[in-house]
Amino acid sequence: MVSPITFWIVAGVTILAALAVVSLKNLIHSALWLVAAFVGVAATYLMLEAEFLAAVQVLVYAGAISILIVFGVMLTRRGDIRESNLFTRYRVSGGVISLGLLVVVVSSIMKSKWIISREIVPENNVGLLAQNLLGQYVIPFEVAAILLLVALVGAIIIAKEVRD
Amino acid sequence: MIQFAWLIPVLPIIAFAVIVFLTRRMQMVSALTAIVAMAGSLIIAIGVLVQVFSTNITIAEPVELVVRWLEVPGSLLIEAGVLIDPLSSVMLFVVTSIAFLIMIYSIGYMKGDPGFSVFFAYLSLFSTSMLGLVISNNYFLTFMFWELVGLSSYLLIGFYWNKDSASDASKKAFITNRVGDFGFMLGMFFLFLLFGTFNFQELSVAIPAFANKTLLTIVALLVFVGPIAKSAQFPLHVWLPDAMEGPTPVSALIHAATMVAAGVYLLARGFVLFESAKTALLIIAIIGGFSAVFAATIGLVQRDIKRILAFSTMSQLGYMVMAIGLGSITAGMFHLTTHAFFKALLFLGAGSVIHAVHTQDIFEMGGLAKKMKTTTWTFLIGSLSLAGIFPLAGFWSKDEILVTALNAGEIFGVPFLGPLFLTLGLLVAFMTAFYMFRLIFVAFFGSEQAGQEAHESPISMTFPLVILAVFAIFAGFIGTPFTDNGFAAWVYYGHPHLPEPNYFIMIFSTIVAFAGILFAWIIYGKKAISAEKLAVRFSAIHTLLYNKYYIDEAYQWFFDKVFLRIADGCRWFDRTIVDGIADGFGDGLREMGARLRFIQTGNLQNYALVIFAAVVIIALWLAVPVLGGI
Amino acid sequence: MQLQLSDFALMMPEIATAVLAVGILIVGLLVPRNQTKGIGFLATAGFIGILILNFTYLGVNEKVLGGLYLADPFSMFFRFLFLTAAVVVVLASRDYVDNLKRNQGEFYGLLAAATLGMMLMAGAGDLITLYIGLELMTISFIILVGFQKTDAKSGEAGIKYVILGAMSSAVLLYGLSLVFGITQTTIISEIAAQITETGVTPLLLLGMVFLIAGFGFKVSAVPFHMWSPDIYEGAPTPTTAFLAVASKAAGLAAFVRVFMIALPGVEPFWSGIVIVLAALTVVIGNFIAIPQTNIKRMLAFSSIAQAGYILFGLIAFSSLGVAALLFYSFIYVFSNVGAFGVAIAVRNATGSDEIKDYSGLAQTSPFLAAIMLASLLSLAGIPPFAGFVGKFYLFTAVIDQGLIWLAFLGIGMSMVSVYYYLIVVKAMYFGKPKENSKPITISGSLKLALVLCGVGVTFLGLYSTPLINMALDVAQIFFPF
Amino acid sequence: MDGFPILLSIVLAPIIGALIIILIPEKDEMVIKITAALATFVSLVLSLYAFITYDKSVGGLQFLQDFIWVERFGINLSFGVDGISLPLVLLTAIVIFTGVFASWDMKNRSKEFFVFLLVLVAGVFGVFVSRDLFWFYLFFEVAVIPMYVLIGVWGSTRKEYAAMKLTIYLLVGSAFALIGIIALYLYAKGQLGYGTFDIATLSTVNFDIAFQKFAFFLMMIGFGFLVPMWPLHTWSPDGHVAAPTAVSMLHAGVLMKLGGYGLIRAGVFLFPIGAKFWAPLIAVLCIVNVVYGAMVAMVQKDLKFVIGYSSVSHMGYVLLGIASMNYLSLDGAVAQMFAHGIMTALFFALVGNVYHKAHTREIAAFGGLAHQMPRVAAGFLIGGLASLGLPGLNNFVAEALIFLGSWRVEKILFGFLHFRVLSILAIFGVVVTAIYVLRVVQKVFFGPRNPKWDHLTDAKGVEMVPIVILVGVLLLFGIFPSLLIDTINVGIEPLVAKIAAAVEIGGIF
Amino acid sequence: MVGLNEYLIFAAILFCIGLYGAVAKKNAVAVLMGIELMLNSVNINLIAFNRFLTPSEVTGQVFAIIVVVVAAAEVAVGLALILNIYRQRLTTDVNDLDWLKW
């Protein structure tokens, strides 16, 4: 099990990174901090002994998604990049509602009691995952493939420039 | 013949249908159809009359012929039935005979009118209604025909409907009668409620046994509202003078001889009810007496020949009503019979005059006696009969009413009533004689008017005059105090009261009548006293009388200023309040929609906020009872 | 646990649809641009074939992979619904697709993919399958909504849908994760048993609230409905039609499945919330529809209101209620596609979606006006059209639960809805056609779709027996006693 | 004709007619009209046949037909008529048949017109012949929407407003009835163990008092909208005025009767105790209808508004008959529905004729019209006389029965208001009716010839068909009322037995 | 000792921060970033539950993988749409997207 200090450091950094994402005015900075937050999440997965997920996280999110986002930022750049990520008029009301939600969720969590399993994580975690994905959960897995295909086709259709 | 009695009202309606659907374009055929049908009814009526008097049919033991007309099991049975007794058979004879004569008269009078055929159709319709009213054996059927005579009257008064005055008058007549029918209907319903039947015979058994006299009085008075309107008694008399807008034969038949007498007939027919409620009877007598005087005073100053006769009719009807109110259907019905003949005669005479001079104002006539001999003589006979001059028909019947009036004190147990009603009667007799002879002196014997080309009417018009004059002279002999087994022995309530000759009244009433004639002669014949000066001298009274006590104006005011305003208020309320609330509700909903649409701001973050706010709110809502607060 | 050959047999409709979707995408790439007519026929034929295939599953009640996937009457009924909707929408979109310059194959392929997603939602036996089905459907729809690239409204609708859709799926997902955590299973039928064991905890209720929000978003229940008017208005009309009927029905299928099977234990908690949501939905939807001038936007608000009515069936929490819900969802396909189909035709002819441009339609194109009339009356719940019978069953179900006030509210709001539907009728029948306006010509397949819808709403209105019997049978699986 | 589905054919004939008309090209107007006339003629003949061959000695529901429909809900498509519905079926058939002829001059979009008209009438027929409450309700609503289109397209005078108002009012009313029907169904299901909408079966269920009060209230409001009961009535004058001739005829002549019929069938018959509880309220409101309706009619300026408000007034009598709840009054109520239907159809046919030619209905604009249109005048006069309850015409019998029935009620409302006072006011309504009817007749038809209207031609040829038939019916049943009343008696008898058996409870007041 | 609740709270905080970003930022790309944070927090939830409650199974992880796939797809489509709208209106400000309203 992970020591509390590690957890708090990882969690603290991740939260700070996330806060930076939403508070900075420069979209590029936000995007970079987002990568940091994703890495923090990957670290959390590691603490939870989900190594494969951590790898996926880094690869897909920190890699692919971040690149996509930067890509998007580049494409949509207009005006001053330093003023590219401003707040809307929901700055306060959005905050209140987010905080309210947080209070509700956290207070519910605090009232929960869990029967923590004493079992340990099996050695062949990744193998088990593979078996599950291609066995019991083959339907979602296959559908996910179709979903990606659809998303791909869709992204192409929509993003492709119309030349008439 | 009695088994064919039902044909009496049916024949005219067949004539009506034939004229309306087939012969409308053939005027003479239409007239003949109507007259032949009427003649058939007359013959049957005579046959019935003869049979009734030759066999032992009395009012207490009549003959009834019925068929089922409308039935609601266990609740209601209304029969279409005929009731033949001396009362109805006499009335049938009177109606059929006068209707027959008036139809003949109308051939001449209506000649050339575009509505000739329709006129005869209407007359036939009227005859059916009137005869049905007379012959029916229950209140319900009577009521139906009662309304139908109202309809015929409406149609005939409004015969010249392109004249506004005529259509106004017809409407007024119908509506006034409707008010009366309203009361009649209530009374009739009460009878049904109390006794479960409309049948005259069954009621005549049941009513005397009924204990609650107060209730009976109310019922009787309600029923009496019908006759008040139909027989033009105060205060529902306003329609009758206006009804003179109709063609003169109509005035003669409907508004003098028969229909207006229906009220009196109903009082006689339903007498058991009134007899059982003495208070009601007294009120009837008072209204009758009052109307008699009231109408007579108005008649004194009118200028229109038909209006004078109309007020005279009203006055005489008051006489009859008073007689019945004083407990004598014999007197009432007797006067009804004689009055029918001589008043029809007078109206037809008036019609003959109008036909000749084309005016109705008696002061525009004059010297007609020389040009229209038959008319003058018959008119004179009628007037004398009406004035009650011995030995004409009117004398005997009026005499019987006065005798009844004298005995009024005994009936009600109030001694002074006798002299009171007698005085009323004599006063009316005086005024009657006065205004009739005022008419005669002015119209027939006055100075000739320049440029008037009056000449005698055709034979079809004078023939009925002569026949009616004969009746006006001799009809009274069936009921003189010296006649055995006469009218009083046939038409009576309870036991026959054969009248004793009362010479005091005979003489006194004759004196009063002659006084009236003399007075009229002094003013209008000899012109010893100037009528104009009198009118100026008593201008207030004269104006009041000439304007019929302003009762029409009062009603008109009530209708225009109260009734229509209420109606207008209702309309306003309906459109503004009732509809306004409904429309306002609809508008409110629409308005709400128009405002609510702005929650859809188009901003997606706003939408997202709403979603999450809702989540928080729902969670808090659940948290309150479940978590005991967060 | 492995997939058996027999499991394939049980999932043939889904597999066929997946094949159809991918196949159309491929064919679309291969076929030259000017010979794309065949793709429409292929899609139609494919959907009809699968529809027929689906009928062979009548009465089948089997589990696949130990309950991860269910081939039961409920999923069969919804497949029937989705495929019917797909067939009529494909037919109705003919005129729209013909006007597209490119990507015609992709349109049909995405339609098929969305259908596949819906089928998975209806048939899902576990939360993961349910979620992936939902996302497949959502993403397909996002693309379909933003399909009209040259139309700024379509693009805007696409962005709104993708962002709000992702947020709602995040909410749903959070709820699913909580439910999974509390019960340690994703299999829907096992969740209920777990809940009876552990009892109701605050976190479970919170999860339930998140699920309500997530599903409420899909069925567009107030206040999670905000997206739908904008998206309905902006999206190409055939997409809107499919979105309104099928996506809503799929959300409903998942909603019913999860709440009836997994969460009956917390029914006392969610029923109150759903009652309030349903009431709000009916009221708000109908009210805001009144002032609308754009027919698609009006129909969007009307379809929000319809969702409220459908939720009545869930509230009733009885086999009658579920049957009524199923019945209403089904006839709603015909009512709505009929209305949207006419909107497609009018849009193609006049380029406008404004109600005032329907003026005189009854004189220029009496057929279109008649179909519109029947569809709108069915939506309003006026006999002899099917909407009436549907509402009748729904109200019966809620009154049976003693919720008479809710029935009153529902009927009262139906009257409000009559008002705004009649505004369209007024334009079509009372209005004068514009000068020299010609009868609108429509393709044979759109005509066929409209005839199907017209016949559907009329026939099911007069003779609802087969469908309601089927729905009652399906409802048995929730209330077997 | 044993086994021939008479009632089904009565309902289907107009629908088939409508379907045929859809197939006829719009330009063949004459063919369309003849088809419509034939379709309604079939219904008329069958209705007459049913009316004549109905076995009064057996009574009850006859010409039964049953088709199982939604078995699991207990919905059956079942037809049958008894003494209450049979006259109303006949009424509908007469009014629509004459209505088709009254719209013979329809030129504008006549194809659609007749399609909607026939659908409308099929709905009305369906209501009267249904024995199943579900179909009863369904048919009723079928009748509403065609009305909207018919008024909105072919109407006049604020037609769009009136059409919308009418539709919404009728639907709101029916909403109450629908809730009532569903509640009734569920209650009965609880008692019987199975669901059914069959009225006869439902009438055997013992509804407890609280439920009866509740359910009858719903029915009262629901059908009260249709009748229309004050203050739910404002749709009807507006609707009458705006509607084209045939629709006015059908609307005032038949559609309003659905309310009275429903109140009797689904109200009094099923919930006698509830009816007793609410009857005083109905009684008070119906008097408002009668007197207030007549008063408002008095000051109207538009001919059709007069008739519209007169309908409000006259339907008050129907309500009075129902509120009085005895044999005579209920008999009268049904008879009045029939009589008023015929009478008001006649009125609207005539007004339509005048309006079509003169293009105005303003009373003040007319005068002396009988010169130019004597037949119309005669017809109008007869209608007016029927309206004011003249003996010899059908309405008199009906009104008399209602009055006689209500007169018998010995109830005291509010602790001081005797029921008979209401009867007296109702009877007084007849006087007011006479006033406004005769005023209108006089103002429009009597008086000197007005050369302005010399171009108007009298009714002739096809136009005479409605006038002759309707006047004939008024006279026939007016002179021989037992032809009608005997049939109604048979229908009312079980109803009265039911009322008599119901527990006596205090009324609302 | 770090328990399950700590992980859950951590995830909840992350979720709310993501939410705040999604509702309070003008730039559509930033909004997408916020959504990604929300989805990530769900994954933490799933994996934490998996780890603490049923360590011998991998259901939670399977779920998380699916979520990752979906997130990727959503971002791809979302960015394509943003690109499209940028071409038309030259803006990525979500507040400007209000042609469809009322």
Side-chain angles (χ1 to χ4, degrees), chain B residues 68-69 71-72 75 144 147 161-162 167-168 171 178 182 189-190 193 559 563 567 574-575 579 582-583, chain D residues 161 165 169 233-234 238 292 295 298 309 331 371 388 391 403 407-408 428 430 442 447-448 479 486 489:
Chain B
R68 176 177 163 280
W69 185 71
E71 185 179 9
V72 177
S75 299
M144 288 177 58
E147 290 237 301
W161 46 264
N162 54 348
S167 61
D168 278 338
K171 187 182 68 181
R178 255 290 144 128
F182 170 62
F189 286 169
F190 258 123
L193 182 74
F559 184 77
F563 197 72
D574 198 59
R575 285 286 113 181
D579 218 19
D583 280 355
Chain D
Y161 166 78
K165 187 169 177 179
Y169 263 79
H233 66 283
T234 52
D238 282 324
Y292 169 101
M295 288 297 235
M298 179 110 49
Y309 274 103
D331 247 13
H371 289 281
L388 56 78
F403 296 152
W407 198 252
R408 288 184 151 194
F428 181 71
V430 178
Q442 185 199 11
I479 297 172
D486 284 350
N489 282 340

Side-chain angles (χ1 to χ4, degrees), chain D residues 14-15 17-18 21 36 39-40 96 113-123:
Chain D
I15 291 179
I21 290 175
T40 52
I96 183 61
F113 178 82
F114 283 105
V115 168
F116 280 112
L117 192 67
L118 290 175
V119 170
L120 163 62
V121 82

Side-chain angles (χ1 to χ4, degrees), chain D residues 211-226:
Chain D
F211 182 79
Q212 293 219 14
K213 285 180 188 172
F214 167 71
F216 189 84
F217 173 77
L218 292 178
M219 299 296 182
M220 178 177 79
I221 300 292
F223 294 113
F225 267 98
L226 266 89

Side-chain angles (χ1 to χ4, degrees), chain B residues 172-194:
Chain B
K172 188 171 177 180
F174 197 96
I175 291 170
T176 314
N177 273 296
R178 255 290 144 128
V179 176
D181 296 352
F182 170 62
F184 184 11
M185 206 184 213
L186 297 186
M188 182 174 87
F189 286 169
F190 258 123
L191 283 176
F192 182 72
L193 182 74
L194 298 177

Side-chain angles (χ1 to χ4, degrees), chain A residues 1 45 49 57 88 114 159, chain E residues 5 24 26 40 43 51 87:
Chain A
M1 273 295 176
Y45 292 167
E49 297 173 69
Q57 173 79 5
T88 62
W114 307 100
Chain E
N5 278 352
K26 269 185 178 172
N40 267 284
N43 274 355
R51 168 69 188 79
R87 285 200 193 109

